[in-house]
Amino acid sequence: MDKVFSDVMTTGCRTALLEIQYFVARDFRLDSQLYAQCKSDAAQFCNAAPNWTEEANAIGPQRNPLVLPCLYRYAYHPPADASLKPECADEVRRVMRQRANSVDLIPEVWQSASKDRELEGKVVDCLKQNFVAKKPLTQSCSDHLTVIMEQQALHYQLDPVLVNLCDKEIQIHCGPEEPENTRQGQVEECLKRKFDALTSVECRRHVALLITAVQIDIQADPMLHRACAVDLVTFCKDVPPGDGRKPHIGHIYTAVIADSSARFHRLIGNPVTFSTGTDEHGLKIQQAALYANEEPGRFCDHVSGLFKTALENCEISYTDYIRTTESRHKENVHSFWEILSEKGFIYKGKYEGWYCTADEAFVAEDQTMLVKLPNGQEQRVSTESNRPVEWFSEENYLFKLSKLREELRSWLKSGPVIRPLRHYNLVKSWLDQELIDLSVSRPNARLSWGIPVPGDSSQTIYVWLDALLNYMTVAKHSQSEMNIWPPSVHVIGKDILKFHGIYWPAFLLAAGFEPPKSLLVHGHWLVDEQKMSKTTGNVVSPQSCINLVTATGLRYFLMHEGVPASDGNFSIKRMVRIANSDLADGIGNLVSRCCGKSLNPLQMRLGLSPSSFESCGSPGSDLLSLLERTPDIVHDEYQQWNFYKGIDQVMALVRGANGFFQTMEPWKLKKEGQLDKLNATMAVTMETARVVGTLLQPIVPSYSERLLDKLGVPKENRSWDFARLRWTTTETALGSQQAVLFPRIKFE
């Protein structure tokens, strides 16, 4: 023991760590992934047996639990002459994220992770509580939780120290009369709840270790996340998912709207520059990084990485991912500031008022109110966002917003600049009032995390001036041969309308640039009719949805249910029902019917002519009429950002095709030898499926790709020109892929 730890650990730390190891029984061999990557390093650096059979048993179990903390030491504090293999170090860090067994050994990791783990642990605790309460968890989730709980000794009988030290306390506080404690595993939870009432010093100390030593971040355990995907949204949707910096479905909704439009315009032949990214400066970020005990740059790297991964997982086809901490952006911000200054739109003055850090904005007093907190104290909040405000009085640089009111009005009247109409009217009402000059800097003493004002390092540029300029940074560095300024559209949530509808065009007009041609403003998402909020803990993680219904299911649900003019309502049951009904049953059945070997033994997509419809009688003519008009209607709805209406039209076509197929009864036609009518039925059905797959490409790209691949449609024949009915005498071989496009999701 001293050989391994004497140079890096205090006696108290060693004692605490041994106690943790004693009740967790964390044997290095229990983690097959860790063992596979680290067995040679464990043998070299940690006195572990080189093979884990007879020799390991001879050494005895007292040696095995020491291997993992030894590996922690070499991963985080390697001696100058030794280091773990990279793949082993990666595995050790993974385990460190999942188990905080050596937090005293690595205090900086503990400090930076403790807040996140405090919240993340609640998710897994929720699953555990439902497990021990014998709720109907899925078998995969129950199996995985069993493994975790055995390793962590959640069942108190598996923890001999707990039994020995706390036996008296268990009888007093957690006996049979406690109805919650009748099941194995609840005793430990009871002791945690009754911690303040415990009298035994030894028992209190051990329970404290239970409370603080082992927390699991569910995101760090992909096996648990996959195994319990259904159960997370069934039993634990109200548990805070962790730190508030992770993407939620509101962020993804914005991206999917923009992505669907970008894909549509590519299909109709328009070149597209599609940018997204993260704005990473400001007081809110500075405080969050401080709270997480991280350097702001590293903090932003982590958060931006989470967003980028979420976008990629949701099949977002951006052409530029911009971060406002990039050097190209800082150069652009400095250049733009100097233009505003040279044109006389920036001056120095005193600014005071109520400031909302969460919104990064000053708020007029008549837009605030006092609310009473649960502790009886009063807090002033913004009436718009319900977030706290503080009074600030400071010397800043100000922007002459008051001089631009008439120019902003002219821009607003120049066309359908802001959609939907209700948001246009809101901006119009703001411009009917007097505009006051806007503070565009903050003292560096208060806000150091940002871009300094050129020539005055004592001031930091206001985060929204900085952030909004990301669009211009992208345009300046675009590889497009076309002039892409001004932007055709900004897709935004309604909470940032004032910044994009007043401040942003004002900055551009003052600097001599054209404002954006339009803003598409969408509503927020409720969760089961309640506002989605980090405070209430009902924030929906997009990854949880993807784990359950795939990216295709999530995208389809958001576009099917999302109406830009109003707030959407997220319901996990409705999401599953819609995905099953439309993607698995509706379209999926249509494709499997016409591609199945029983009716299509040659696995061919047949040629199509007007006579194909004629030979099918009135069902054929009805479907032909629907097939001819649907693509143009869908085109117009997509063009107007009414994706939900376009989807409704596509699904009406799918229902028409399934009804046609059922009416024609091709299985009977085959049995009766009516091969011409059978071939006509199959050809009409497959052509309808081809059109459906083409029309849905902007909404569910990978799903549509699988559909068109199955039908043998060449890649070059998937543009919008091919979205309409096409006559052909050519027969095409079907793809070899399975006909099941979207397996039904089992969810109760």
Side-chain angles (χ1 to χ4, degrees), residues 194-243:
K194 304 290 180 70
F195 180 78
D196 290 339
L198 302 180
T199 56
S200 165
V201 174
E202 292 81 9
C203 179
R204 283 174 62 87
R205 182 178 183 186
H206 193 69
V207 173
L209 286 172
L210 288 170
I211 293 171
T212 61
V214 183
Q215 294 277 4
I216 294 183
D217 179 344
I218 193 163
Q219 302 288 349
D221 187 343
M223 287 184 64
L224 178 63
H225 210 293
R226 283 195 300 271
C228 299
V230 173
D231 306 280
L232 284 169
V233 293
T234 304
F235 299 106
C236 305
K237 66 180 180 182
D238 294 329
V239 179
D243 67 59

Side-chain angles (χ1 to χ4, degrees), residues 189-381:
E189 298 304 316
C190 169
L191 289 173
K192 291 178 183 177
R193 288 198 311 274
K194 304 290 180 70
F195 180 78
D196 290 339
L198 302 180
T199 56
S200 165
V201 174
E202 292 81 9
C203 179
R204 283 174 62 87
R205 182 178 183 186
H206 193 69
V207 173
L209 286 172
L210 288 170
I211 293 171
T212 61
V214 183
Q215 294 277 4
I216 294 183
D217 179 344
I218 193 163
Q219 302 288 349
D221 187 343
M223 287 184 64
L224 178 63
H225 210 293
R226 283 195 300 271
C228 299
V230 173
D231 306 280
L232 284 169
V233 293
T234 304
F235 299 106
C236 305
K237 66 180 180 182
D238 294 329
V239 179
D243 67 59
R245 307 180 300 270
K246 293 180 179 178
H248 55 67
I249 59 166
H251 299 121
I252 296 304
Y253 180 51
T254 306
V256 174
I257 292 176
D259 182 68
S260 296
S261 181
R263 290 178 183 274
F264 168 67
H265 280 277
R266 292 186 191 114
L267 285 175
I268 63 177
N270 296 333
V272 174
T273 297
F274 169 23
S275 71
T276 185
T278 46
D279 56 286
E280 302 176 13
H281 291 132
L283 189 59
K284 181 166 61 174
I285 300 294
Q286 179 176 299
Q287 290 180 350
L290 181 65
Y291 182 77
N293 197 35
E294 285 189 70
E295 187 272 324
R298 290 184 59 191
F299 176 84
C300 290
D301 289 343
H302 171 67
V303 174
S304 185
L306 293 177
F307 275 82
K308 193 170 186 180
T309 298
L311 295 176
E312 290 170 353
N313 289 345
C314 289
E315 302 174 6
I316 306 302
S317 62
Y318 57 81
T319 59
D320 196 329
Y321 186 89
I322 174 73
R323 298 179 58 187
T324 58
T325 48
E326 295 178 42
S327 58
R328 59 169 174 160
H329 180 69
K330 294 176 183 178
E331 292 169 5
N332 180 44
V333 172
H334 274 163
S335 173
F336 194 86
W337 178 280
E338 288 167 352
I339 292 172
L340 291 178
S341 183
E342 289 168 5
K343 289 180 176 288
F345 277 93
I346 290 181
Y347 66 97
K348 204 165 190 178
K350 187 175 183 180
Y351 197 94
E352 58 184 14
W354 295 103
Y355 187 76
C356 178
T357 299
D359 297 333
E360 297 281 14
F362 278 98
V363 183
E365 184 150 7
D366 61 1
Q367 293 176 333
T368 68
M369 63 179 180
L370 285 172
V371 297
K372 183 162 285 189
L373 302 176
N375 61 8
Q377 295 180 335
E378 289 187 330
Q379 170 70 57
R380 187 172 292 274
V381 300

Side-chain angles (χ1 to χ4, degrees), residues 369 458 682:
M369 63 179 180
S458 69
M682 300 297 286

Side-chain angles (χ1 to χ4, degrees), residues 422-691:
R422 64 185 297 180
H423 298 301
Y424 171 93
N425 290 333
L426 181 57
V427 173
K428 185 175 179 295
S429 71
W430 290 335
L431 291 176
D432 288 339
Q433 306 167 27
E434 292 296 325
L435 298 179
I436 61 173
D437 290 351
L438 177 69
S439 170
V440 288
S441 74
R442 303 288 182 265
N444 177 268
R446 182 160 71 89
L447 173 60
S448 58
W449 181 244
I451 300 175
V453 169
D456 187 354
S457 59
S458 69
Q459 293 278 318
T460 303
I461 295 174
Y462 174 45
V463 62
W464 271 106
L465 174 55
D466 166 357
L468 288 163
L469 282 165
N470 86 86
Y471 305 118
M472 185 167 281
T473 301
V474 169
K476 282 185 174 182
H477 292 82
S478 171
Q479 302 300 313
S480 173
E481 296 178 359
M482 299 175 58
N483 178 17
I484 62 172
W485 195 267
S488 299
V489 64
H490 293 320
V491 181
I492 61 170
K494 65 180 182 180
D495 55 317
I496 54 175
L497 175 58
K498 180 172 285 187
F499 302 104
H500 284 79
I502 301 288
Y503 301 161
W504 177 225
F507 294 148
L508 292 168
L509 289 166
F513 294 96
E514 287 186 68
K517 294 178 182 178
S518 67
L519 305 179
L520 189 280
V521 187
H522 65 75
H524 292 163
W525 280 87
L526 307 176
V527 178
D528 294 325
E529 303 295 348
Q530 294 185 340
K531 182 178 179 182
M532 186 166 60
S533 158
K534 298 165 192 167
T535 305
T536 56
N538 64 344
V539 177
V540 178
S541 159
Q543 190 58 50
S544 295
C545 298
I546 291 171
N547 290 340
L548 182 59
V549 300
T550 75
T552 289
L554 176 59
R555 285 180 65 111
Y556 186 81
F557 173 78
L558 293 176
M559 292 295 95
H560 182 279
E561 295 292 284
V563 179
S566 59
D567 291 342
N569 183 46
F570 180 88
S571 161
I572 187 67
K573 290 182 179 178
R574 183 163 175 78
M575 179 174 69
V576 171
R577 184 177 66 77
I578 288 173
N580 281 338
S581 173
D582 291 4
L583 301 176
D585 298 342
I587 304 170
N589 281 348
L590 182 67
V591 173
S592 62
R593 281 171 151 181
C594 58
C595 294
K597 291 185 178 180
S598 61
L599 293 176
N600 192 345
L602 298 179
Q603 292 292 282
M604 300 294 290
R605 180 160 54 92
L606 305 176
L608 186 76
S609 68
S611 63
S612 303
F613 290 89
E614 292 168 4
S615 63
C616 295
S618 60
S621 61
D622 290 344
L623 183 57
L624 175 61
S625 175
L626 189 59
L627 193 54
E628 286 179 328
R629 67 175 182 266
T630 296
D632 288 336
I633 298 174
V634 173
H635 174 280
D636 293 344
E637 297 294 3
Y638 284 1
Q639 191 89 49
Q640 295 300 316
W641 300 89
N642 295 321
F643 293 106
Y644 68 103
K645 290 184 178 180
I647 292 171
D648 286 346
Q649 292 294 323
V650 174
M651 290 312 301
L653 178 59
V654 171
R655 288 190 294 274
N658 275 317
F660 162 82
F661 196 90
Q662 194 70 26
T663 300
M664 295 305 297
E665 298 181 314
W667 51 92
K668 284 189 178 181
L669 298 176
K670 179 182 179 182
K671 187 175 181 180
E672 295 168 359
Q674 299 185 54
L675 297 184
D676 289 343
K677 207 168 187 178
L678 170 63
N679 290 339
T681 299
M682 300 297 286
V684 166
T685 305
M686 284 191 277
E687 175 63 7
T688 306
R690 185 194 66 78
V691 170

